Amino acid sequence: DTEVTQTPKHLVMGMTNKKSLKCEQHMGHRAMYWYKQKAKKPPELMFVYSYEKLSINESVPSRFSPECPNSSLLNLHLHALQPEDSALYLCASSQDSSGNGEQFFGPGTRLTVL
Amino acid sequence: GENVEQHPSTLSVQEGDSAVIKCTYSDSASNYFPWYKQELGKRPQLIIDIRSNVGEKKDQRIAVTLNKTAKHFSLHITETQPEDSAVYFCAASIQWGFQKLVFGTGTRLLVSP
């Protein structure tokens, strides 16, 4: 299995809702990433997990809360989001120990905050 | 931190022509430079990458060159085809194990039949 999967594909939520995005990979990768991509812009790194430990938080607001329950799963918990948080949220994974692997991206979750 | 500039923002070519996209980076410690292709509504996909110990890499119609002294790298696509139409992103990273990719602003390539 050489794919990163993400659920849901689309999500519409209100500013008071709590929701979660899920990402899964079965390639044995030990580094996993969350990116945010606005329309016609490049992906922007949010978080990096390495061996299930949070390694990088790019000063992301606390209304975004990442979680890595195990080496195959990555979640992004959302709470009290703002309309400007509407974007495509991409998950990616790569081999960590060797550092030579490419980042494989998932198809993304398109989030709309009303 | 790292900053990556990418030019041009749009590029229109005729089928069969060559296309060149250029990027510059700021952090001399960056050692990994991937190029991603993103079609409309799809995920970014790696098309080629290069590491700082290599000056050039080629894969069929695609090649990447790296000039560490000038801190710039370029993507070359030869014999372009309509299916090459997409947005192309360059990126730079220091690779300790995981990668902290910083992306360029993207180039929209349109190949006309």
Side-chain angles (χ1 to χ4, degrees), chain B residues 1-96:
Chain B
E2 177 64 276
N3 182 53
V4 179
E5 294 187 0
Q6 182 172 348
H7 299 282
S9 57
T10 59
L11 180 58
S12 295
V13 300
Q14 292 292 120
E15 183 176 1
D17 288 350
S18 294
V20 180
I21 303 170
K22 298 183 178 183
C23 289
T24 59
Y25 61 99
S26 61
D27 191 343
S28 56
S30 289
N31 60 2
Y32 175 64
F33 307 92
W35 286 88
Y36 284 86
K37 175 183 181 182
Q38 188 174 27
E39 297 176 58
L40 190 63
K42 301 282 185 68
R43 73 188 79 189
Q45 290 197 298
L46 182 77
I47 55 171
I48 196 166
D49 57 11
I50 192 167
R51 286 169 174 80
S52 58
N53 58 348
V54 176
E56 185 174 357
K57 184 177 178 181
K58 189 173 181 180
D59 182 5
Q60 299 183 342
R61 297 186 296 110
I62 295 173
V64 58
T65 58
L66 172 65
N67 183 327
K68 284 190 297 182
T69 303
K71 288 191 278 190
H72 66 70
F73 55 115
S74 300
L75 177 71
H76 304 254
I77 305 174
T78 59
E79 300 171 26
T80 53
Q81 301 166 3
E83 51 265 37
D84 294 328
S85 297
V87 177
Y88 291 79
F89 292 103
C90 63
S93 173
I94 299 173
Q95 197 165 28
W96 307 276

Side-chain angles (χ1 to χ4, degrees), chain A residues 4 33 37 42-43 45 56 58 95-96 99-103 105-106, chain B residues 32 36 38 43-44 46 51 89 95 97-101 103-105:
Chain A
V4 177
Y33 311 77
Q37 186 176 27
L45 184 65
I56 293 179
E58 291 288 82
Q95 290 178 328
D96 187 14
N100 290 322
E102 68 176 270
Q103 277 192 36
F105 282 84
Chain B
Y32 175 64
Y36 284 86
Q38 188 174 27
R43 73 188 79 189
L46 182 77
R51 286 169 174 80
F89 292 103
Q95 197 165 28
F98 57 85
Q99 305 150 7
K100 184 180 174 182
L101 290 180
F103 286 85
T105 49

Side-chain angles (χ1 to χ4, degrees), chain A residues 59-113:
Chain A
S59 303
V60 179
S62 60
R63 57 186 184 269
F64 295 91
S65 176
E67 178 196 18
C68 190
N70 60 55
S71 60
S72 300
L73 292 174
L74 187 65
N75 297 322
L76 186 63
H77 302 297
L78 314 173
H79 173 56
L81 294 192
Q82 305 296 311
E84 58 264 30
D85 296 322
S86 298
L88 180 69
Y89 288 84
L90 293 161
C91 173
S93 71
S94 69
Q95 290 178 328
D96 187 14
S97 56
S98 69
N100 290 322
E102 68 176 270
Q103 277 192 36
F104 290 82
F105 282 84
T109 293
R110 190 161 298 282
L111 173 67
T112 302
V113 182

Side-chain angles (χ1 to χ4, degrees), chain A residues 5-18:
Chain A
T5 59
Q6 289 186 245
T7 56
K9 289 185 180 180
H10 302 275
L11 179 62
V12 180
M13 61 186 290
M15 290 189 285
T16 59
N17 292 160
K18 286 184 180 182

